[in-house]
Amino acid sequence: MRRASAAVVTAGAVLTAGALAAPAQAATPTPPTIVAKGGFVMNNGTGKSLFTKAADTRRSTGSTTKIMTARVVLAQANLDLDAKVTVQKAYSDYIVDNNWASSAKLIVGDKVTVRQLLYGLMLPSGCDAAYALADKFGSGSTRAARVQSFIGKMNSTAKSLGLKNTHFDSFDGIGKGANYSTPRDLTKLASSAMKYSTFRTVVKTKSTTQKVTTKSGGYRNMSWENTNGLLGSYSGTIGVKTGSGPEAKYCLVFAATRGGKTVIGTVLASSSVVNRTADAKKLMDYGFKK
């Protein structure tokens, strides 16, 4: 009888010790409050949605449109990134004519490569670089026709990616009222663009100096700074693109990798540069905890 009793006590002690050793359940993180009118975050590896706020409400996208501009270029068959494009006066005139047009400060007559135009497009958010790429990769006998052709490619790409709430009427986000997307769609677009190694390299670059050929055959250096304030201020940031405008307010498509996990997302219509960056940081913090 004594042996049986001892066995019972021992088993009870083991059960008690096991209960004490059980790890505490991690507290479920509280979804953050953001200033932006729309937001979305997903796990880039699984596609799982981690946060939504008006994620399917259509809004003006500003220069986040340029993600699609780059995506269309990079999807071209037999793309030669070192092919040279001569900067036309029309590109610089476009900057002058549009008050909200950000510029890569391309100089008429210079010969720049497609790769350099992608840096000029994505870092300083050059609308002149966007125009040059649309002119280069659109089809048609006139510049206007080529631009419309390129915008058509942007919309057909959106359709092929299943972006049902996205439409473009410009190559750079300075649209005529029919340039819109949603936080969810823009995040999916960015995720698709990040599959291109050139895109990944460009959008994680904080600054660059590029040597271009001048009209006279000499060389000049073009220096560009990335408008994405997350680079250098948020550990693990790998992109992606800022946007702003009178209608769009302040937008940011963002991505970061930590511990082998990549979160990617979008905020649309935040109230300032500072707040869109703060919104993105909150959402990434939350995404990494989920």
Side-chain angles (χ1 to χ4, degrees):
M1 290 297 291
R2 287 180 181 174
R3 288 179 181 175
S5 177
V8 170
V9 171
T10 303
V14 170
L15 286 171
T16 302
L20 291 172
Q25 290 294 317
T28 303
T30 303
T33 299
I34 59 172
V35 175
K37 291 182 179 178
F40 180 77
V41 178
M42 74 178 190
N43 182 320
N44 195 50
T46 65
K48 181 184 177 183
S49 170
L50 303 175
F51 174 94
T52 62
K53 177 184 177 180
D56 299 307
T57 300
R58 296 174 177 181
R59 299 187 189 279
S60 178
T61 57
S63 285
T64 61
T65 296
K66 290 165 183 157
I67 298 170
M68 180 61 91
T69 308
R71 172 67 173 71
V72 169
V73 170
L74 291 168
Q76 298 299 305
N78 304 312
L79 176 65
D80 180 4
L81 289 167
D82 296 316
K84 291 189 176 181
V85 176
T86 302
V87 178
Q88 304 296 315
K89 185 173 182 293
Y91 311 157
S92 57
D93 287 348
Y94 179 81
I95 299 295
V96 173
D97 293 341
N98 290 276
N99 292 334
W100 274 85
S102 44
S103 176
K105 295 182 169 58
L106 300 179
I107 296 172
V108 177
D110 280 5
K111 291 180 173 60
V112 294
T113 66
V114 172
R115 190 191 313 274
Q116 289 169 337
L117 285 173
L118 288 170
Y119 277 100
L121 175 77
M122 301 303 286
L123 272 66
S125 197
C127 296
D128 43 358
Y131 196 167
L133 289 166
D135 193 7
K136 166 73 174 174
F137 291 101
S139 302
S141 57
T142 65
R143 184 173 292 118
R146 290 190 292 274
V147 166
Q148 285 307 308
S149 164
F150 187 86
I151 294 169
K153 291 182 181 182
M154 294 170 71
N155 285 314
S156 61
T157 301
K159 188 175 181 180
S160 73
L161 293 174
L163 310 182
K164 296 178 181 179
N165 290 304
T166 297
H167 185 266
F168 301 104
D169 69 355
S170 71
F171 47 73
D172 58 0
I174 302 178
K176 300 174 180 66
N179 210 90
Y180 57 80
S181 189
T182 68
R184 191 189 307 270
D185 275 8
L186 276 174
T187 301
K188 289 181 177 179
L189 168 59
S191 180
S192 171
M194 291 290 270
K195 292 176 182 176
Y196 292 88
S197 61
T198 299
F199 186 88
R200 293 195 303 273
T201 298
V202 169
V203 298
K204 73 179 181 182
T205 301
K206 194 173 180 181
S207 64
T208 185
T209 298
Q210 299 283 329
K211 188 177 181 181
V212 304
T213 308
T214 64
K215 187 176 183 178
S216 61
Y219 296 94
R220 83 170 87 247
N221 287 323
M222 301 294 289
S223 294
W224 295 310
E225 298 286 331
N226 202 316
T227 56
N228 184 0
L230 291 171
L231 293 164
S233 74
Y234 189 87
S235 176
T237 297
I238 55 173
V240 175
K241 184 74 186 75
T242 61
S244 61
E247 188 181 355
K249 305 305 179 188
Y250 296 90
C251 313
L252 182 56
V253 182
F254 51 85
T257 300
R258 289 182 179 178
K261 178 181 180 180
T262 298
V263 296
I264 188 165
T266 300
V267 289
L268 292 183
S270 196
S271 58
S272 68
V273 169
V274 170
N275 282 334
R276 75 179 174 195
T277 303
D279 285 344
K281 288 180 178 180
K282 286 181 186 178
L283 293 185
M284 288 190 288
D285 284 346
Y286 179 70
F288 282 123
K289 291 174 186 173
K290 287 280 283 183

